[in-house]
Structure formats: structure tokens, C-alpha cells
């Protein structure tokens, strides 16, 4: 499906799909005369669509939810998720899955709101479209008018995007000369979407989800329709009633699909705010507990820092080299002490009539060697001053 934007002559897709400019011009038929297309026919038209089939797969346990992968003209891979209600009278719902994006066809929940036939149940029944043609029309529009992607939140889609970006340079020359095979490329997309790493610009999810600039907000609000088919079908008396009766006018306005879309957008924003506030309140007790723990740790850290500084000062004092003059003074004093000890030892040994000459000589020489060692050290320190 990477070549949809280049296939201008696909029979099953081009024959019955209205363009975005003509989508607002559908005329509503009377509910009593509308013949509903069976649900199985809708599903068959979608799952067996000549263009969509290779890139479509079921993602739910039942037969209500499907994903279709496609590529835009700027080379980005996207997924349209289609929900088919079990009630055949209800309109299908389509969303862009796995991304946060802005586009005038998308609301804040990435739901498709710019395609007129699926804006309401009545519009869907009146359109007489089959599901396959409707999905193709939406995808074709996104191909030609790609949304602005803020963030990729689906891992498989992210991995797939890396595959596409890595292979795009190699395929450019081939694509110019040979039209790509839609079926094979679509199959490759689904096969690779389960196991290839992504190279996409990743933005913090929570931060990106909270940021909505003015341009994006404007894109979420549906455009003013160029015409109102509902009014064109009214008789003159009904028009007069609308003009003169405010209650009737209000009731009529509330039935317009664009108004429903605005209400849904409003409710979506309100619910998002409520969910955010509820999540914040749920974390209030935990945050307070963490703050108290941090404060306790802060006090402990302050006390430990003071103890560390005291011990470090003591260590520095104990390991700091002494001043040279102080070392010379202590060595001189120790030298004299060793000399006096050797003299006293010799005098005591003579007076006592000592007999063990070897022991005397050894101890006397050890003391005198210590005396001379200290004297030599003191002399060297004096010379270095």
C-alpha cells in the first residue's frame, strides 16, 4: 500500500469513493426508504478490497476491530484502526492508531471527524457507501494530505518506520522506473512490523500529550461546512419555523453532525482534564510521603556532612607534613636523648661490673646509631631550608 498515492486507476477504489470536498454534499434520504447494506457485505467490501486487503488484519477477538497500514506521500507509515459496530445501523469509527498527530480531520483522541459519511449514523446510512470504499477514501486523503506527527507511541509502528526510512534511499531509483507491487510491499510491511527497530524522533509521551498549541487546537475544530444539505431539504414552512422559533432552531442545530463533533471534542477535553486531575489527586498522599522522606534524608545528609568535615579536618591534621624547622627541632631533641641514653647505659654497665660484653656492645651501638641517624636527618633538613 505504499504506492496508493501513485495508483490513480484502481477500479474498486476510484469508482465509488467521494472526495473530501464532495463528502459534505451527501443528501440525507428518508429513514423509512433507506435500504441498509448488510454488515457482512460491509466487511467483505473492506477485507476483500483490492487495495486494502493485503495490509489489513483483525486485531480484536471478535470481528469488530481491524488495522490497515499505509504510507503517506512524505514516506511516513500510519495505521488506520477501523471499528465496525455489531449494530448495522451505527456508523463505523476510524482512528489513527499508534501516533499523536494534528490534522483537520482528527480530533484530540485521533478519531477521524473530517469525513462526512461517518460523522453520524444517519449520514452513514444515507451515504450508501460500503465500508471498504469509506476506509479507502479516508486513507487516500491522509496519503495525499499527511497529518503532522508529534509522536509515535506504538512500538511496532516505530520499528516499521525505521525499516521504511532505511530502505527509502535504496528504493528511490527503482520506484522511478517500475511501479511498486502494492500487494508485496503491503505484506512486507505487516511482516516486518512485528520485529524491526525504529528510528523515529521520540518525544516524552506525557509532556507531548499535554501540549496543544493554538495551531493544533484550530485543526481539532471542524471547519464551517460550505453548504448545509439538511437545510436544502426543508420546505418553506419548515424554514419559516426555524427562523421564528428559537426552540426549533436549537433542536435543528443540535442535530448537525459538525455540532456533534464539537460537543464530542468538548467532552473529550473535559474528560481528559478530569482524568488528569483524578490521577494527580490519587498521587497526593504518595507525593506527601515522599516529600517527608526527602526532608528526613536531607537532615541526615546535613548531619553526616558536618561529621565528615570534622573527621576530614582531623585526618588532614594528622597526615599533614610538619614544618621543617619544627622537624629539625624535634630531631635535635631526639638526637640528644639517644646520646644521653647510650652514655647512661655505658656508665651503668661499668659500675655494675657487667660481664656480657656482646649484649652491651649490641645495645650500645644500636642507641648510638639511632643518635647519629637523627643527627644526619636534622643536618639534611637544615641544608634544605
Amino acid at each position: 500500500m505504499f504506492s496508493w498515492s501513485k495508483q490513480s486507476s484502481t477500479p474498486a477504489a476510484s469508482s465509488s469513493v467521494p472526495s473530501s470536498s464532495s463528502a459534505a454534499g451527501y443528501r440525507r434520504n428518508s429513514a423509512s426508504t433507506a435500504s441498509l447494506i448488510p454488515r457482512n457485505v460491509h466487511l467483505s467490501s473492506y477485507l476483500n478490497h483490492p487495495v486494502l486487503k493485503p495490509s489489513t488484519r483483525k486485531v480484536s477477538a471478535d470481528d469488530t476491530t481491524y488495522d490497515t497500514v499505509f504510507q503517506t506521500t512524505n514516506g511516513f507509515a500510519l495505521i488506520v484502526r477501523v471499528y465496525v459496530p455489531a449494530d448495522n445501523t451505527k456508523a463505523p469509527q476510524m482512528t489513527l492508531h499508534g501516533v499523536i498527530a494534528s490534522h483537520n480531520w482528527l480530533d484530540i483522541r485521533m478519531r477521524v471527524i473530517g469525513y462526512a459519511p461517518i460523522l453520524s449514523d444517519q449520514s452513514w446510512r444515507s451515504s450508501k457507501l460500503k465500508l471498504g470504499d469509506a476506509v479507502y477514501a479516508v486513507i487516500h486523503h491522509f496519503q495525499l494530505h499527511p497529518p503532522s506527527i508529534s509522536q509515535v507511541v506504538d512500538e511496532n509502528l516505530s520499528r516499521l518506520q525505521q525499516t521504511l526510512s532505511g530502505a527509502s534511499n535504496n528504493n528511490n531509483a527503482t520506484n522511478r522506473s517500475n511501479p511498486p507491487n502494492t500487494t508485496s510491499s503491503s505484506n512486507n510491511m505487516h511482516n516486518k512490523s512485528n520485529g524491526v527497530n525504529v528510528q523515529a524522533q521520540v518525544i516524552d509521551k506525557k509532556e507531548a500529550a499535554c501540549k496543544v498549541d493554538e495551531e493544533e487546537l484550530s485543526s481539532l475544530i471542524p471547519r464551517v461546512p460550505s453548504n448545509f444539505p439538511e437545510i436544502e431539504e426543508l420546505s418553506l414552512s419548515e424554514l419559516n419555523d426555524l427562523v421564528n422559533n428559537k426552540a426549533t432552531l436549537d433542536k435543528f442545530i443540535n442535530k448537525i453532525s459538525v455540532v456533534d463533533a464539537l460537543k464530542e471534542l468538548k467532552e473529550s477535553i473535559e474528560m481528559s482534564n478530569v482524568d488528569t486531575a483524578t490521577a494527580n489527586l490519587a498521587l497526593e498522599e504518595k507525593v506527601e510521603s515522599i516529600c517527608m522522606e526527602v526532608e528526613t534524608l536531607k537532615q541526615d545528609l546535613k548531619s553526616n556532612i558536618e561529621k565528615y568535615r570534622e573527621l576530614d579536618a582531623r585526618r588532614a591534621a594528622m597526615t599533614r607534613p610538619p614544618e621543617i624547622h619544627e622537624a629539625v627541632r624535634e630531631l635535635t631533641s631526639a638526637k640528644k636523648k639517644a646520646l644521653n641514653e647510650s652514655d647512661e647505659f655505658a656508665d651503668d654497665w661499668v659500675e655494675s661490673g657487667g660481664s656480657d660484653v656482646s649484649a652491651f656492645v649490641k645495645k650500645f651501638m644500636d642507641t648510638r646509631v639511632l643518635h647519629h641517624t637523627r643527627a644526619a636527618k636534622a643536618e639534611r633538613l637544615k641544608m634544605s631550608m
Side-chain angles (χ1 to χ4, degrees), residues 164-229:
L164 296 178
S165 60
S168 60
N169 293 334
N170 295 332
N171 292 336
N172 281 340
T174 303
N175 289 340
R176 293 190 191 99
S177 58
N178 299 318
N181 186 305
T182 300
T183 302
S184 61
S185 59
S186 302
N187 285 331
N188 289 336
M189 170 179 270
H190 267 305
N191 291 336
K192 294 178 181 178
S193 64
N194 294 324
V196 191
N197 288 327
V198 74
Q199 185 179 17
Q201 189 176 11
V202 178
I203 304 173
D204 183 81
K205 295 182 180 180
K206 294 182 180 179
E207 182 178 350
C210 295
K211 289 183 178 179
V212 181
D213 54 25
E214 293 184 2
E215 181 179 353
E216 182 177 356
L217 186 60
S218 299
S219 68
L220 296 175
I221 301 176
R223 295 178 178 177
V224 177
S226 58
N227 54 40
F228 293 87

Side-chain angles (χ1 to χ4, degrees), residues 237-253:
S237 60
E238 290 174 327
L239 290 174
N240 287 330
D241 189 30
L242 283 180
V243 173
N244 299 320
N245 191 326
K246 187 177 184 302
T248 303
L249 178 61
D250 292 340
K251 184 178 180 180
F252 175 80
I253 291 176

Side-chain angles (χ1 to χ4, degrees), residues 37-46 88 124 129-132:
I37 299 176
R39 187 173 184 274
N40 62 334
V41 174
H42 277 303
L43 286 175
S44 178
S45 70
Y46 177 30
N88 194 35
W124 175 243
L129 278 175
K130 292 182 180 179
L131 180 61

Side-chain angles (χ1 to χ4, degrees), residues 91-298:
Q93 298 177 10
M94 304 184 199
T95 57
L96 270 191
H97 175 70
V99 296
I100 296 176
S102 59
H103 192 278
N104 58 359
W105 270 33
L106 299 172
D107 66 8
I108 199 170
R109 296 182 298 175
M110 300 300 103
R111 181 176 174 180
V112 177
I113 60 173
Y115 187 57
I118 62 172
L119 284 182
S120 67
D121 298 337
Q122 186 173 358
S123 298
W124 175 243
R125 292 193 298 268
S126 301
S127 69
K128 302 290 186 162
L129 278 175
K130 292 182 180 179
L131 180 61
D133 294 332
V135 175
Y136 178 79
V138 171
I139 288 178
H140 191 66
H141 180 79
F142 283 134
Q143 281 188 305
L144 300 179
H145 308 282
S148 176
I149 306 298
S150 300
Q151 180 186 356
V152 179
V153 296
D154 182 81
E155 294 182 359
N156 289 335
L157 184 60
S158 296
R159 291 193 291 265
L160 175 61
Q161 185 57 37
Q162 183 188 23
T163 304
L164 296 178
S165 60
S168 60
N169 293 334
N170 295 332
N171 292 336
N172 281 340
T174 303
N175 289 340
R176 293 190 191 99
S177 58
N178 299 318
N181 186 305
T182 300
T183 302
S184 61
S185 59
S186 302
N187 285 331
N188 289 336
M189 170 179 270
H190 267 305
N191 291 336
K192 294 178 181 178
S193 64
N194 294 324
V196 191
N197 288 327
V198 74
Q199 185 179 17
Q201 189 176 11
V202 178
I203 304 173
D204 183 81
K205 295 182 180 180
K206 294 182 180 179
E207 182 178 350
C210 295
K211 289 183 178 179
V212 181
D213 54 25
E214 293 184 2
E215 181 179 353
E216 182 177 356
L217 186 60
S218 299
S219 68
L220 296 175
I221 301 176
R223 295 178 178 177
V224 177
S226 58
N227 54 40
F228 293 87
E230 298 89 346
I231 295 180
E232 295 176 2
E233 296 178 0
L234 297 179
S235 63
L236 181 59
S237 60
E238 290 174 327
L239 290 174
N240 287 330
D241 189 30
L242 283 180
V243 173
N244 299 320
N245 191 326
K246 187 177 184 302
T248 303
L249 178 61
D250 292 340
K251 184 178 180 180
F252 175 80
I253 291 176
N254 289 331
K255 291 182 179 180
I256 298 177
S257 58
V258 175
V259 176
D260 290 337
L262 285 173
K263 289 182 177 179
E264 183 177 344
L265 174 61
K266 176 177 175 291
E267 293 174 0
S268 172
I269 295 175
E270 291 176 348
M271 289 301 299
S272 177
N273 291 340
V274 170
D275 292 342
T276 302
T278 303
N280 289 339
L281 290 175
L283 295 173
E284 181 179 9
E285 183 177 348
K286 184 177 180 180
V287 170
E288 291 179 352
S289 175
I290 293 176
C291 288
M292 294 178 61
E293 183 179 356
V294 168
E295 189 63 29
T296 301
L297 293 175
K298 181 181 177 182

